[in-house]
Amino acid sequence: MIRVLVWNEFYHEQTKESVKAIYPDGIHSTIADFLKCDDIEVRTATLEDENCGITKEILDETDVLIWWGHARHHLVPDEVAALVRDAVHSGMGAIFLHSGHHSKPFKALMGTPCSLTWRESGDSELVWVTNPAHPITQGIDRFIHLPNEETYGEPVSSPNPDEVLFIGGYSGGEVFRSGCLFRRGNGQIFYFQPGHETFPTFHIPEVQTVIRNAVRYLVPRYRAEITCPHVRTWNDPEGYMIKK
Ligand code: ZN
């Protein structure tokens, strides 16, 4: 079983009727519901949980963490962001959705401000596939049509990704690197731009397909804390590892 933890700040759904109407049980519940299947088990956590529902033990038992946050990034303790960063370095997969670009754990993993240009005008968006052969883009035609989405535009001050899988183009003219892969330590991160809370983006089947594909792609094949071992030569009779 692939073990997924969906984290959501769960704020707009409780404070704005328009958002509650789209995600009555929270964005995390919607994502959990469409991910659950024979080989994916899903837990959820929110800002309301003790320690944000995140401990080292919980992350050790998580293959892929999904993160949605927007207005409450500052309430996530630095220690929680550090736990997520360290878990990715050891091999855990992580998916940061939409405004997760400004979350503490994403910025801790990127090391840059991760800012961008934005506008809430209800532009439509075409999310274009740039690599139709990649596992994350399987099941998607040339593009995903989003009738309405928050506009995100370049320049974005995150590091250049290892691979761009989607480029978004908006009716207002902007373009944006909408689906990006980053390798950090033993782990991989997928950033996916769609998902503004006032639009039903996570109910769109193609968006669900991309997130499901990303979960399967990011499952760790190797997981270990990164250390800096002092070693002997490969053929030393005492062995190449110097035990402490
Ligand atoms: Zn947004």
Side-chain angles (χ1 to χ4, degrees):
M1 290 293 276
I2 300 171
R3 302 164 300 177
V4 174
L5 176 63
V6 181
W7 192 91
N8 177 22
E9 69 179 22
F10 196 27
Y11 173 67
H12 298 301
E13 302 96 317
Q14 301 189 86
T15 55
K16 274 190 185 173
E17 285 303 319
S18 58
V19 179
K20 193 176 187 175
I22 301 169
Y23 301 110
D25 299 315
I27 285 172
H28 54 295
S29 298
T30 298
I31 294 173
D33 286 347
F34 72 69
L35 281 179
K36 281 176 193 160
C37 62
D38 289 347
D39 65 330
I40 299 176
E41 63 180 28
V42 187
R43 292 179 295 174
T44 61
T46 74
L47 195 57
E48 295 175 347
D49 294 320
E50 186 181 351
N51 207 49
C52 297
I54 288 181
T55 64
K56 183 176 185 314
E57 292 69 31
I58 288 170
L59 294 181
D60 283 346
E61 295 171 355
T62 299
D63 296 312
V64 181
L65 172 69
I66 298 176
W67 193 280
W68 196 100
H70 174 225
R72 291 293 180 266
H73 294 315
H74 60 290
L75 297 182
V76 174
D78 293 345
E79 296 74 18
V80 168
L83 284 173
V84 173
R85 177 201 63 202
D86 293 348
V88 171
H89 286 166
S90 76
M92 183 183 75
I95 300 170
F96 289 88
L97 297 169
H98 189 58
S99 38
H101 70 89
H102 254 173
S103 66
K104 284 187 182 180
F106 188 73
K107 291 201 284 188
L109 285 157
M110 297 295 122
T112 59
C114 300
S115 292
L116 43 76
T117 62
W118 61 280
R119 177 177 65 250
E120 284 186 65
S121 57
D123 276 7
S124 64
E125 180 184 3
L126 294 177
V127 185
W128 293 92
V129 173
T130 62
N131 181 355
H134 197 279
I136 292 180
T137 62
Q138 296 312 295
I140 306 300
D141 201 350
R142 292 184 65 207
F143 57 84
I144 303 169
H145 175 231
L146 305 177
N148 300 105
E149 186 50 77
E150 181 179 10
T151 301
Y152 275 8
E154 302 282 345
V156 53
S157 58
S158 49
N160 283 333
D162 296 308
E163 183 163 9
V164 176
L165 300 180
F166 295 97
I167 293 177
Y170 298 84
S171 52
E174 278 84 353
V175 293
F176 187 71
R177 288 169 282 180
S178 291
C180 298
L181 277 171
F182 302 89
R183 185 181 154 219
R184 291 292 184 274
N186 294 328
Q188 284 203 90
I189 299 155
F190 180 56
Y191 170 77
F192 194 44
Q193 157 266 315
H196 186 62
E197 70 276 3
T198 61
F199 303 120
T201 303
F202 294 118
H203 293 296
I204 294 175
E206 293 97 326
V207 171
Q208 298 178 359
T209 295
V210 171
I211 295 171
R212 193 179 300 110
N213 288 346
V215 163
R216 294 208 161 100
Y217 178 75
L218 293 171
V219 170
R221 274 75 184 175
Y222 172 84
R223 192 158 176 173
E225 187 183 340
I226 292 179
T227 59
C228 197
H230 178 206
V231 296
R232 303 185 186 93
T233 55
W234 68 275
N235 56 354
D236 191 291
E238 291 189 53
Y240 60 83
M241 293 297 286
I242 297 175
K243 302 212 169 44
K244 287 179 183 170

